[in-house]
Every structure is written in structure tokens, then in C-alpha cells.
Amino acid sequence: MKQFEKILEKIARENGTTPEEVRDQMQRAIDQAYDHPADGAAPLWAELTFRGERPTPEELVLQLAALLQKNTTSAG
């Protein structure tokens, strides 16, 4: 997950904050989306697996990237 850390550092630098704050903001957004899913989001959440009660930013980004890659590959 070194690449994820580098991405957090870049986002933090561009926004004048810390990587920890970026991760915290991501987790808050994930928690909000998980607790109050948008219409049609339930099937997406059902496809995801994670170790805890809800995904961490790292888990969500990795799984969404894999899902996008899978869908892009199967569509082509």
C-alpha cells in the first residue's frame, strides 16, 4: 500500500493538509455513504468485502479499482 500512501501525501500537499487528515476525511465520506447509501448503491456495497464492519479508505479504493478494471475488461 505504499502507492496509496504516496497518493495521500500528494493530495495532502496539494490541499495544504496532512495525509492523516486526508485519510480521516475519506473515512468520514465512506462512513456516510455506508450509513446512508444512495439509491441503487446497495448492489455495489454487496459486491465489496472488507475485514471490519465497514471498509477502510485503502480497502475501498483497491476494491473499486479492481471492480472498474474487471468491468472495463469485460466490456471491451
Side-chain angles (χ1 to χ4, degrees):
M1 281 305 204
K2 279 288 190 196
Q3 189 66 24
F4 187 77
E5 294 299 323
K6 288 182 180 185
I7 292 168
L8 289 181
E9 290 171 6
K10 183 176 190 249
I11 293 169
R13 193 171 42 254
E14 290 174 355
N15 291 280
T17 189
T18 65
E20 294 78 15
E21 182 60 26
V22 173
R23 180 183 277 110
D24 289 346
Q25 288 292 327
M26 290 175 75
Q27 188 64 60
R28 282 187 216 125
I30 291 166
D31 292 344
Q32 181 70 18
Y34 190 80
D35 291 339
H36 308 284
D39 292 339
L44 175 62
W45 284 115
E47 284 189 55
L48 304 176
T49 58
F50 32 90
R51 288 182 257 174
E53 182 180 321
R54 55 191 64 219
T56 65
E58 295 89 341
E59 288 175 316
L60 186 62
V61 168
L62 184 63
Q63 288 191 43
L64 290 177
L67 186 62
L68 285 170
Q69 185 174 24
K70 175 184 162 190
N71 289 341
T72 301
T73 303
S74 64

